[in-house]
Amino acid sequence: MLIAENDQRFYISISTIPYAGKGLFAAVDLPPGTMLEVIGVRIEPGSITDICTSWADEYKIRSHDILIIPTGFAGMINHSEKPNLRKVTKNDRLYFLTEITIPANTELFFEYSDYAVNRFMHRP
């Protein structure tokens, strides 16, 4: 299966967060209700596949019973305690949703779970 990201509304650049590496930015103004699908490999939570892909745990995106190793733009969204996106599920698919207008060239953020923050952001 070929997985390819082709959404022209977004681009990758150096994050505005020091030491974060790269981040995802809006290429155009994104009005409220704009959705970005999390594309990638869907994993059954708690399965042998989940265990075998533990190398990707810090990149996996989870919402309820949906767990995805992202291979597209969604995997480049960094954490913020003041996010401008939130996760939503629709028709058994996972998306990031804007609730406010996000101007072009603005970095996109969502709030990582407490588990992710504690495990991956506060390493000794």
PDB file of all heavy atoms in Angstrom, residues 41-54 57 60 62 65 67 69:
ATOM      1  N   VAL A  41      -0.384   4.243   9.556  1.00  0.00           N
ATOM      2  CA  VAL A  41      -0.646   2.834   9.801  1.00  0.00           C
ATOM      3  C   VAL A  41      -1.458   2.709  11.082  1.00  0.00           C
ATOM      4  O   VAL A  41      -1.020   3.143  12.145  1.00  0.00           O
ATOM      5  CB  VAL A  41       0.681   2.053   9.932  1.00  0.00           C
ATOM      6  CG1 VAL A  41       0.415   0.583  10.206  1.00  0.00           C
ATOM      7  CG2 VAL A  41       1.527   2.233   8.683  1.00  0.00           C
ATOM      8  N   ARG A  42      -2.627   2.129  10.937  1.00  0.00           N
ATOM      9  CA  ARG A  42      -3.502   1.962  12.107  1.00  0.00           C
ATOM     10  C   ARG A  42      -3.141   0.675  12.837  1.00  0.00           C
ATOM     11  O   ARG A  42      -2.973  -0.373  12.234  1.00  0.00           O
ATOM     12  CB  ARG A  42      -4.965   1.947  11.678  1.00  0.00           C
ATOM     13  CG  ARG A  42      -5.899   1.976  12.857  1.00  0.00           C
ATOM     14  CD  ARG A  42      -7.276   2.368  12.460  1.00  0.00           C
ATOM     15  NE  ARG A  42      -8.178   2.255  13.600  1.00  0.00           N
ATOM     16  CZ  ARG A  42      -9.426   2.627  13.572  1.00  0.00           C
ATOM     17  NH1 ARG A  42      -9.933   3.137  12.474  1.00  0.00           N
ATOM     18  NH2 ARG A  42     -10.182   2.503  14.638  1.00  0.00           N
ATOM     19  N   ILE A  43      -3.012   0.802  14.152  1.00  0.00           N
ATOM     20  CA  ILE A  43      -2.575  -0.290  15.022  1.00  0.00           C
ATOM     21  C   ILE A  43      -3.677  -0.584  16.036  1.00  0.00           C
ATOM     22  O   ILE A  43      -4.297   0.346  16.561  1.00  0.00           O
ATOM     23  CB  ILE A  43      -1.296   0.128  15.792  1.00  0.00           C
ATOM     24  CG1 ILE A  43      -0.192   0.588  14.848  1.00  0.00           C
ATOM     25  CG2 ILE A  43      -0.821  -0.957  16.727  1.00  0.00           C
ATOM     26  CD1 ILE A  43       0.362  -0.468  13.962  1.00  0.00           C
ATOM     27  N   GLU A  44      -3.889  -1.855  16.343  1.00  0.00           N
ATOM     28  CA  GLU A  44      -4.839  -2.207  17.398  1.00  0.00           C
ATOM     29  C   GLU A  44      -4.183  -1.953  18.752  1.00  0.00           C
ATOM     30  O   GLU A  44      -3.129  -2.539  19.056  1.00  0.00           O
ATOM     31  CB  GLU A  44      -5.260  -3.671  17.296  1.00  0.00           C
ATOM     32  CG  GLU A  44      -6.274  -4.074  18.336  1.00  0.00           C
ATOM     33  CD  GLU A  44      -6.693  -5.529  18.226  1.00  0.00           C
ATOM     34  OE1 GLU A  44      -6.429  -6.161  17.204  1.00  0.00           O
ATOM     35  OE2 GLU A  44      -7.293  -6.016  19.197  1.00  0.00           O
ATOM     36  N   PRO A  45      -4.759  -1.045  19.566  1.00  0.00           N
ATOM     37  CA  PRO A  45      -4.158  -0.749  20.864  1.00  0.00           C
ATOM     38  C   PRO A  45      -4.001  -2.006  21.723  1.00  0.00           C
ATOM     39  O   PRO A  45      -4.912  -2.829  21.816  1.00  0.00           O
ATOM     40  CB  PRO A  45      -5.148   0.229  21.510  1.00  0.00           C
ATOM     41  CG  PRO A  45      -5.867   0.843  20.362  1.00  0.00           C
ATOM     42  CD  PRO A  45      -5.966  -0.261  19.328  1.00  0.00           C
ATOM     43  N   GLY A  46      -2.827  -2.167  22.331  1.00  0.00           N
ATOM     44  CA  GLY A  46      -2.576  -3.289  23.221  1.00  0.00           C
ATOM     45  C   GLY A  46      -2.270  -4.598  22.522  1.00  0.00           C
ATOM     46  O   GLY A  46      -2.048  -5.616  23.181  1.00  0.00           O
ATOM     47  N   SER A  47      -2.224  -4.589  21.202  1.00  0.00           N
ATOM     48  CA  SER A  47      -1.985  -5.811  20.440  1.00  0.00           C
ATOM     49  C   SER A  47      -0.492  -6.134  20.354  1.00  0.00           C
ATOM     50  O   SER A  47       0.362  -5.329  20.729  1.00  0.00           O
ATOM     51  CB  SER A  47      -2.544  -5.663  19.025  1.00  0.00           C
ATOM     52  OG  SER A  47      -1.772  -4.693  18.302  1.00  0.00           O
ATOM     53  N   ILE A  48      -0.186  -7.309  19.824  1.00  0.00           N
ATOM     54  CA  ILE A  48       1.200  -7.672  19.560  1.00  0.00           C
ATOM     55  C   ILE A  48       1.825  -6.644  18.609  1.00  0.00           C
ATOM     56  O   ILE A  48       2.982  -6.244  18.788  1.00  0.00           O
ATOM     57  CB  ILE A  48       1.287  -9.095  18.965  1.00  0.00           C
ATOM     58  CG1 ILE A  48       0.837 -10.138  19.992  1.00  0.00           C
ATOM     59  CG2 ILE A  48       2.693  -9.388  18.459  1.00  0.00           C
ATOM     60  CD1 ILE A  48       1.710 -10.208  21.234  1.00  0.00           C
ATOM     61  N   THR A  49       1.067  -6.177  17.629  1.00  0.00           N
ATOM     62  CA  THR A  49       1.581  -5.164  16.699  1.00  0.00           C
ATOM     63  C   THR A  49       1.921  -3.882  17.443  1.00  0.00           C
ATOM     64  O   THR A  49       2.940  -3.246  17.157  1.00  0.00           O
ATOM     65  CB  THR A  49       0.558  -4.885  15.587  1.00  0.00           C
ATOM     66  OG1 THR A  49       0.253  -6.122  14.921  1.00  0.00           O
ATOM     67  CG2 THR A  49       1.086  -3.889  14.578  1.00  0.00           C
ATOM     68  N   ASP A  50       1.108  -3.506  18.398  1.00  0.00           N
ATOM     69  CA  ASP A  50       1.380  -2.322  19.213  1.00  0.00           C
ATOM     70  C   ASP A  50       2.699  -2.512  19.969  1.00  0.00           C
ATOM     71  O   ASP A  50       3.546  -1.617  20.006  1.00  0.00           O
ATOM     72  CB  ASP A  50       0.216  -2.082  20.172  1.00  0.00           C
ATOM     73  CG  ASP A  50       0.267  -0.735  20.897  1.00  0.00           C
ATOM     74  OD1 ASP A  50       1.135   0.097  20.574  1.00  0.00           O
ATOM     75  OD2 ASP A  50      -0.579  -0.528  21.786  1.00  0.00           O
ATOM     76  N   ILE A  51       2.891  -3.665  20.534  1.00  0.00           N
ATOM     77  CA  ILE A  51       4.124  -3.965  21.268  1.00  0.00           C
ATOM     78  C   ILE A  51       5.323  -3.984  20.313  1.00  0.00           C
ATOM     79  O   ILE A  51       6.373  -3.409  20.606  1.00  0.00           O
ATOM     80  CB  ILE A  51       4.001  -5.307  22.020  1.00  0.00           C
ATOM     81  CG1 ILE A  51       2.926  -5.186  23.120  1.00  0.00           C
ATOM     82  CG2 ILE A  51       5.350  -5.737  22.609  1.00  0.00           C
ATOM     83  CD1 ILE A  51       2.505  -6.504  23.711  1.00  0.00           C
ATOM     84  N   CYS A  52       5.165  -4.606  19.161  1.00  0.00           N
ATOM     85  CA  CYS A  52       6.264  -4.705  18.196  1.00  0.00           C
ATOM     86  C   CYS A  52       6.634  -3.363  17.584  1.00  0.00           C
ATOM     87  O   CYS A  52       7.726  -3.215  17.039  1.00  0.00           O
ATOM     88  CB  CYS A  52       5.915  -5.700  17.085  1.00  0.00           C
ATOM     89  SG  CYS A  52       5.855  -7.414  17.660  1.00  0.00           S
ATOM     90  N   THR A  53       5.742  -2.409  17.669  1.00  0.00           N
ATOM     91  CA  THR A  53       6.041  -1.071  17.147  1.00  0.00           C
ATOM     92  C   THR A  53       6.291  -0.084  18.283  1.00  0.00           C
ATOM     93  O   THR A  53       6.128   1.119  18.119  1.00  0.00           O
ATOM     94  CB  THR A  53       4.906  -0.555  16.245  1.00  0.00           C
ATOM     95  OG1 THR A  53       3.683  -0.527  16.993  1.00  0.00           O
ATOM     96  CG2 THR A  53       4.757  -1.406  14.991  1.00  0.00           C
ATOM     97  N   SER A  54       6.743  -0.598  19.419  1.00  0.00           N
ATOM     98  CA  SER A  54       7.019   0.283  20.556  1.00  0.00           C
ATOM     99  C   SER A  54       8.099   1.307  20.228  1.00  0.00           C
ATOM    100  O   SER A  54       8.147   2.372  20.835  1.00  0.00           O
ATOM    101  CB  SER A  54       7.401  -0.525  21.792  1.00  0.00           C
ATOM    102  OG  SER A  54       8.601  -1.240  21.557  1.00  0.00           O
ATOM    103  N   ASP A  57       6.417   4.540  19.721  1.00  0.00           N
ATOM    104  CA  ASP A  57       5.442   4.990  20.722  1.00  0.00           C
ATOM    105  C   ASP A  57       5.355   6.514  20.834  1.00  0.00           C
ATOM    106  O   ASP A  57       4.274   7.061  20.968  1.00  0.00           O
ATOM    107  CB  ASP A  57       5.747   4.400  22.101  1.00  0.00           C
ATOM    108  CG  ASP A  57       5.268   2.970  22.245  1.00  0.00           C
ATOM    109  OD1 ASP A  57       4.574   2.474  21.333  1.00  0.00           O
ATOM    110  OD2 ASP A  57       5.591   2.337  23.270  1.00  0.00           O
ATOM    111  N   LYS A  60       3.130   7.773  17.943  1.00  0.00           N
ATOM    112  CA  LYS A  60       1.767   7.276  17.762  1.00  0.00           C
ATOM    113  C   LYS A  60       0.763   8.324  18.231  1.00  0.00           C
ATOM    114  O   LYS A  60       0.980   9.007  19.222  1.00  0.00           O
ATOM    115  CB  LYS A  60       1.553   5.974  18.530  1.00  0.00           C
ATOM    116  CG  LYS A  60       2.342   4.803  17.969  1.00  0.00           C
ATOM    117  CD  LYS A  60       2.184   3.565  18.838  1.00  0.00           C
ATOM    118  CE  LYS A  60       3.024   2.417  18.311  1.00  0.00           C
ATOM    119  NZ  LYS A  60       2.988   1.260  19.228  1.00  0.00           N
ATOM    120  N   ARG A  62      -3.181   8.774  19.392  1.00  0.00           N
ATOM    121  CA  ARG A  62      -4.286   7.970  19.913  1.00  0.00           C
ATOM    122  C   ARG A  62      -5.485   8.852  20.215  1.00  0.00           C
ATOM    123  O   ARG A  62      -5.350   9.967  20.698  1.00  0.00           O
ATOM    124  CB  ARG A  62      -3.847   7.280  21.194  1.00  0.00           C
ATOM    125  CG  ARG A  62      -4.915   6.465  21.875  1.00  0.00           C
ATOM    126  CD  ARG A  62      -4.454   5.933  23.219  1.00  0.00           C
ATOM    127  NE  ARG A  62      -3.181   5.266  23.179  1.00  0.00           N
ATOM    128  CZ  ARG A  62      -3.028   3.946  23.035  1.00  0.00           C
ATOM    129  NH1 ARG A  62      -4.079   3.172  22.925  1.00  0.00           N
ATOM    130  NH2 ARG A  62      -1.826   3.412  23.022  1.00  0.00           N
ATOM    131  N   ASP A  65     -10.216   4.422  20.824  1.00  0.00           N
ATOM    132  CA  ASP A  65      -9.722   3.122  20.373  1.00  0.00           C
ATOM    133  C   ASP A  65      -8.971   3.199  19.045  1.00  0.00           C
ATOM    134  O   ASP A  65      -8.655   2.185  18.442  1.00  0.00           O
ATOM    135  CB  ASP A  65     -10.876   2.124  20.267  1.00  0.00           C
ATOM    136  CG  ASP A  65     -11.912   2.522  19.230  1.00  0.00           C
ATOM    137  OD1 ASP A  65     -11.973   3.720  18.875  1.00  0.00           O
ATOM    138  OD2 ASP A  65     -12.663   1.643  18.774  1.00  0.00           O
ATOM    139  N   LEU A  67      -5.528   4.137  17.128  1.00  0.00           N
ATOM    140  CA  LEU A  67      -4.103   4.326  17.357  1.00  0.00           C
ATOM    141  C   LEU A  67      -3.406   4.277  16.003  1.00  0.00           C
ATOM    142  O   LEU A  67      -3.535   3.295  15.269  1.00  0.00           O
ATOM    143  CB  LEU A  67      -3.562   3.232  18.276  1.00  0.00           C
ATOM    144  CG  LEU A  67      -2.085   3.272  18.636  1.00  0.00           C
ATOM    145  CD1 LEU A  67      -1.731   4.561  19.372  1.00  0.00           C
ATOM    146  CD2 LEU A  67      -1.723   2.058  19.484  1.00  0.00           C
ATOM    147  N   ILE A  69       0.259   5.166  13.716  1.00  0.00           N
ATOM    148  CA  ILE A  69       1.618   5.640  13.507  1.00  0.00           C
ATOM    149  C   ILE A  69       1.521   6.564  12.300  1.00  0.00           C
ATOM    150  O   ILE A  69       1.284   6.115  11.185  1.00  0.00           O
ATOM    151  CB  ILE A  69       2.612   4.499  13.224  1.00  0.00           C
ATOM    152  CG1 ILE A  69       2.653   3.513  14.390  1.00  0.00           C
ATOM    153  CG2 ILE A  69       4.008   5.080  12.939  1.00  0.00           C
ATOM    154  CD1 ILE A  69       3.477   2.274  14.113  1.00  0.00           C
TER     155      ILE A  69
END
